[in-house]
């Protein structure tokens, strides 16, 4: 549906999504701005955390362009599109502190050409940046309730911004439980931070699928931690992120533990291209993961989970 | 392993309470509870003690009250590989249910572990004599078996691998 300004309704939704108020926001959302890599840190085999800082981009008249400013705010659960010039673009969730507005943090696993190229960037290299996009974790709804975080593998990265928020506003939330499953001891992400999370009153339980070393923690799947966790299911809200199979089993365990279907949120992963609900690559039934997600309330997408093709 | 006394009325009352409070036997009928208690005793393992070894007769199973137990398989050149840890509120040992009643794995206490050991032969005999008890036990063991089977399948799928 076109408007008097020649923009269609989807474009206006996009406009709201990127937080700009003028029609040029549509274009801005599609045009990457330049960001510079500040630091790269190895998290595990093939997994790297990149800290990047958007560069201030002047408009056509040479003045600072407000919509392309250095402000790098990204709400917990949102994602950015990162471009490695000459290679391609990929959607990566933010994994840093949402209060840090000067830089963006993304944790990436080298699996395809773009993510592999991203993981090889060094301090001083440039990347293209679009975003932030999507709907994140329901931070306001979690206030005053017990929070059960279930993460698997790299799925801890999109939940890390929420953990920063929990630490900053610890009194706003009830009991916070983090249940994290990884492939092996060497794959556990943010291991050093976990002690800090514990000191701030977060119950952190980590399990690994396989181990042959002297690992003293839990061994087994992350779903096995759910019945052992201490929380009140009647006042709990749960956020789940990881491979889809792991999320389906985790949700079943959460439901069995008494957590309501409308109190479970999950972050979906699909092949996101435009990130603004135009191209349809990430269409998930009646919704677009990039625009309507990536975080969805479970009861709204439960019928779509597990379908072989949509 | 330190085996605690069983047989006197005080111990039996204490065991009844422990068994009733254990999630595995939650809601167990009083008559069944008495039958089960007759096969039970309290046990304590120090960290590093083995509850059982692969190939040994599966003559007991355990209701964990405190501590953690690693289920392991040992491979030459690779040492002990843990594929599951179990904790408070869970049970250790399923091989006592089916012939040839031999442990398929090792079970090692990771911490100071307190448990109720159930005499498997005693319980099997009682289940054979009272099929209602046998059916009750089956209803309690089947969900554990299914959960562990599903967990094993998830581990085999290697969902956190690079293609996940």
């Amino acid at each position: 549906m076109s408007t008097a300004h020649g923009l269609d309704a989807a474009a206006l939704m996009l406009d709201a999504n990127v937080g700009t108020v003028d029609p040029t926001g549509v274009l801005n959302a599609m045009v990457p701005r330049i960001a510079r890599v500040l630091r790269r840190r190895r998290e595990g085999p093939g997994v790297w955390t990149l800290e990047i800082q958007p560069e201030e981009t002047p408009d056509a008249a040479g003045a600072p362009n407000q919509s392309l400013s250095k402000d790098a705010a990204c709400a917990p659960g949102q994602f950015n599109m990162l471009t490695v010039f000459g290679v391609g673009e990929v959607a990566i969730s933010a994994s840093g502190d949402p209060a840090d507005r000067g830089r963006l943090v993304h944790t990436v696993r080298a699996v395809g050409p773009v993510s592999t190229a991203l993981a090889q960037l060094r301090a001083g290299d440039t990347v293209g940046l679009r975003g932030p996009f999507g709907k994140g974790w329901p931070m306001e709804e979690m206030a005053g309730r017990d929070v059960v975080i279930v993460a698997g593998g790299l799925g801890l990265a999109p939940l890390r911004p929420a953990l920063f928020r929990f630490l900053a506003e610890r009194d706003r939330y009830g009991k916070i439980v983090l249940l994290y499953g990884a492939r092996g001891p060497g794959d556990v992400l943010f291991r050093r931070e976990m002690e800090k999370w514990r000191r701030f009153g977060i119950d952190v339980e980590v399990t690994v699928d396989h181990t042959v070393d002297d690992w003293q923690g839990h061994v087994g799947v992350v779903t096995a931690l759910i019945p052992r966790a201490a929380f009140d299911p009647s006042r709990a809200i749960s956020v789940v992120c990881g491979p889809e199979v792991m999320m389906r089993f985790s949700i079943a365990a959460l439901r069995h533990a008494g957590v309501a279907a409308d109190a479970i949120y999950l972050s979906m992963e699909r092949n996101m291209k435009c990130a603004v609900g135009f191209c349809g690559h990430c269409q998930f039934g009646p919704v677009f993961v990039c625009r309507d997600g990536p975080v969805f309330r479970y009861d709204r997408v439960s019928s779509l989970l597990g379908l072989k093709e949509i | 392993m330190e085996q605690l006394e069983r047989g006197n009325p005080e111990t039996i009352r204490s065991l009844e309470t422990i068994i009733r409070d254990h999630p595995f036997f939650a809601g167990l009928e009083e008559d069944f509870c008495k039958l089960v208690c007759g096969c039970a005793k309290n046990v304590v393992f120090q960290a590093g003690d083995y509850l059982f070894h692969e190939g040994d007769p599966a003559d007991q199973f355990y209701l964990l009250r405190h501590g953690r137990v690693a289920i392991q398989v040992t491979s030459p050149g690779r040492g002990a590989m843990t594929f599951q840890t179990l904790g408070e509120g869970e049970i250790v040992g399923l091989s006592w249910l089916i012939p040839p009643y031999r442990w398929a794995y090792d079970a090692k206490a990771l911490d100071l572990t307190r448990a109720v050991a159930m005499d498997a032969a005693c319980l099997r005999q009682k289940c054979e004599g009272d099929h209602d008890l046998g059916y009750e036990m089956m209803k309690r063991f089947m969900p554990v078996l299914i959960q562990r089977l599903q967990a094993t399948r998830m581990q085999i799928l290697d969902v956190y691998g690079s293609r996940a």
Side-chain angles (χ1 to χ4, degrees):
Chain A
M1 184 181 72
S2 289
T3 67
H5 300 287
L7 292 168
D8 64 17
L12 288 176
M13 281 197 290
L14 157 69
D15 203 30
N17 216 26
V18 296
T20 56
V21 292
D22 65 274
T24 59
V26 177
L27 288 176
N28 288 342
M30 297 303 294
V31 178
R33 50 182 163 160
I34 302 297
R36 200 163 288 281
V37 176
L38 299 176
R39 198 176 306 163
R40 185 182 82 138
R41 187 176 66 244
R42 185 180 183 275
E43 302 288 358
V47 180
W48 297 84
T49 291
L50 293 174
E51 292 179 20
I52 62 173
Q53 187 171 46
E55 298 199 330
E56 205 150 283
T57 308
D59 63 16
N65 185 332
Q66 291 306 308
S67 62
L68 295 177
S69 72
K70 291 176 77 170
D71 191 334
C74 206
Q78 284 192 305
F79 69 95
N80 284 302
M81 299 298 295
L82 300 184
T83 299
V84 180
F85 297 110
V87 182
E89 188 181 45
V90 66
I92 307 286
S93 293
S95 63
D97 186 347
D100 186 350
R101 302 179 76 86
R103 60 179 186 148
L104 287 162
V105 180
H106 293 90
T107 301
V108 57
R109 181 163 57 185
V111 285
V114 186
S115 55
T116 300
L118 269 175
Q120 289 170 348
L121 293 175
R122 297 285 198 277
D125 289 343
T126 55
V127 291
L129 169 68
R130 294 196 293 128
F133 296 115
K135 293 182 173 64
W137 301 112
M139 301 307 298
E140 284 307 310
E141 285 188 48
M142 288 191 260
R145 300 173 70 171
D146 286 2
V147 180
V148 183
I149 305 160
V150 186
L154 199 62
L156 184 57
L159 285 160
R160 187 166 169 250
L163 284 155
F164 277 112
R165 185 71 63 81
F166 293 142
L167 298 193
E169 304 172 345
R170 184 64 192 89
D171 294 342
R172 289 193 73 205
Y173 305 93
K175 199 170 184 58
I176 300 176
V177 179
L178 167 62
L179 309 175
Y180 176 48
R183 193 183 196 192
D187 300 291
V188 175
L189 298 181
F190 314 124
R191 208 163 167 170
R192 274 173 291 183
E193 288 174 54
M194 286 177 180
E195 279 313 307
K196 182 181 173 190
W197 297 344
R198 288 189 177 103
R199 282 201 305 276
F200 277 77
I202 295 177
D203 289 350
V204 181
E205 297 293 341
V206 181
T207 187
V208 297
D209 274 2
H210 309 282
T211 180
V212 288
D213 64 7
D214 58 353
W215 168 258
Q216 292 297 307
H218 301 289
V219 181
V221 292
V222 70
T223 51
L225 298 179
I226 293 170
R228 303 176 196 168
F231 62 90
D232 179 357
S234 67
R235 66 186 296 252
I237 188 164
S238 183
V239 288
V240 185
C241 190
E244 209 163 303
V245 174
M246 165 258 157
M247 290 201 291
R248 291 210 306 269
F249 279 93
S250 297
I251 289 165
L254 287 164
R255 298 283 293 122
H256 187 71
V259 181
D262 62 3
I264 300 173
Y265 289 79
L266 65 160
S267 183
M268 297 298 299
E269 192 175 324
R270 283 294 183 275
N271 184 20
M272 292 187 265
K273 290 289 184 189
C274 73
V276 287
F278 284 151
C279 73
H281 278 87
C282 67
Q283 188 165 359
F284 184 51
V287 299
F288 292 104
V289 172
C290 68
R291 188 191 66 200
D292 305 308
V295 174
F296 292 95
R297 208 173 79 183
Y298 167 63
D299 59 333
R300 292 176 178 155
V301 293
S302 58
S303 63
L304 301 172
L305 289 176
L307 293 182
K308 289 180 178 63
E309 275 187 56
I310 296 176
Chain B
M1 177 184 71
E2 181 188 349
Q3 299 198 5
L4 305 180
E5 186 187 9
R6 80 172 179 194
N8 74 52
E10 280 302 308
T11 307
I12 287 173
R13 256 199 301 279
S14 161
L15 269 171
E16 264 192 50
T17 308
I18 291 167
I19 287 171
R20 261 185 218 293
D21 290 346
H22 196 279
F24 182 74
F25 279 125
L28 188 68
E29 281 180 28
E30 197 172 333
D31 288 351
F32 289 156
C33 193
K34 282 190 165 57
L35 287 170
V36 167
C37 282
C39 301
K41 67 183 176 200
N42 272 312
V43 290
V44 178
F45 298 92
Q46 302 300 320
D49 285 356
Y50 281 84
L51 281 71
F52 51 78
H53 289 278
E54 179 183 344
D56 285 353
D59 50 9
Q60 295 186 111
F61 76 96
Y62 301 89
L63 308 177
L64 294 185
R65 300 171 53 202
H66 176 83
R68 286 182 312 138
V69 172
I71 310 299
Q72 301 177 326
V73 62
T74 301
S75 174
R78 296 182 67 181
M81 293 180 287
T82 300
F83 58 88
Q84 185 181 36
T85 49
L86 297 164
E88 188 179 322
E90 296 182 298
I91 61 163
V92 177
L94 300 170
S95 299
W96 68 276
L97 281 163
I98 49 162
Y101 310 121
R102 298 262 168 196
W103 296 122
Y105 308 105
D106 298 335
K108 181 184 177 184
L110 295 175
D111 316 307
L112 173 70
T113 298
R114 296 183 192 282
V116 174
M118 305 295 302
D119 183 322
C122 167
L123 199 57
R124 281 197 301 263
Q125 194 177 14
K126 287 186 177 179
C127 289
E128 203 58 60
D130 181 343
H131 285 185
D132 286 346
L133 173 65
Y135 184 56
E136 183 66 33
M137 293 300 288
M138 192 195 77
K139 285 195 292 183
R140 289 169 187 274
F141 271 98
M142 280 307 286
V144 177
L145 279 165
I146 296 295
Q147 281 162 17
R148 292 187 186 175
L149 176 63
Q150 288 175 342
T152 303
R153 285 172 174 162
M154 265 181 73
Q155 283 174 300
I156 291 168
L157 284 173
D158 193 21
V159 293
Y160 307 129
S162 57
R163 289 181 59 82

